[in-house]
Structures are given as structure tokens and as C-alpha cells.
Amino acid sequence: MTFTWITFHRDALEALEADSYADFLRRPQEAERMPNQFYGRRETRAAGREVSLFAAGNMTAKQAAKNLAVKLAAGTS
């Protein structure tokens, strides 16, 4: 059996391409928006300090992760 492209197939492929292309174009905008959403927030700076304390050996990774999660959750609620 030989496959033959018909108008239905072409239309479906063009619709998929148009939809995917729009998503593809939105990706860079979303990638830029996400860091800007958090940059400079007090909670983000506090979380950075938690990571620094972990790196310095003043707490375990589990403690640092818990503190980070609590601080970020407090900033978004």
C-alpha cells in the first residue's frame, strides 16, 4: 500500500505547523519573563543566603532545601 498526500493531510499538517510555530515563538518571551518575575524579590535574596549558608557548610542540603521552599512559598502567598 502506498501513501499519498491528499488535501486533508496537507491541511492537518499546516494547522499543526501554525500552532507549533506560535508556541515556538512564545518560548523566548517566557524564558525572559520567568527570571524577571523573581529578580530582586526579598524572598529570592533570602533564598540566595540559604544557598550560601549551605555552601559554607552551616546546614545540610535537606535543611537548606526546606528553608528555601518555605521562604519561596511565603513570598508567593
Side-chain angles (χ1 to χ4, degrees):
M1 179 176 233
T2 303
F3 178 80
T4 304
W5 285 91
I6 61 173
T7 303
F8 174 79
H9 296 121
R10 288 186 199 116
D11 290 346
L13 190 59
E14 286 176 5
L16 178 63
E17 179 271 333
D19 191 41
S20 299
Y21 190 69
D23 288 343
F24 179 73
L25 291 177
R26 279 192 297 271
R27 289 288 177 214
Q29 295 166 347
E30 186 67 15
E32 184 177 326
R33 185 188 68 78
M34 290 299 290
N36 291 338
Q37 181 180 356
F38 294 105
Y39 180 74
R41 289 181 51 192
R42 182 180 21 196
E43 297 85 10
T44 306
R45 290 191 304 272
R49 286 191 290 278
E50 295 295 327
V51 172
S52 297
L53 288 173
F54 166 65
N58 293 340
M59 65 177 67
T60 67
K62 193 171 186 177
Q63 290 169 324
K66 182 178 179 184
N67 291 345
L68 176 60
V70 168
K71 288 185 182 196
L72 290 176
T76 58
S77 58

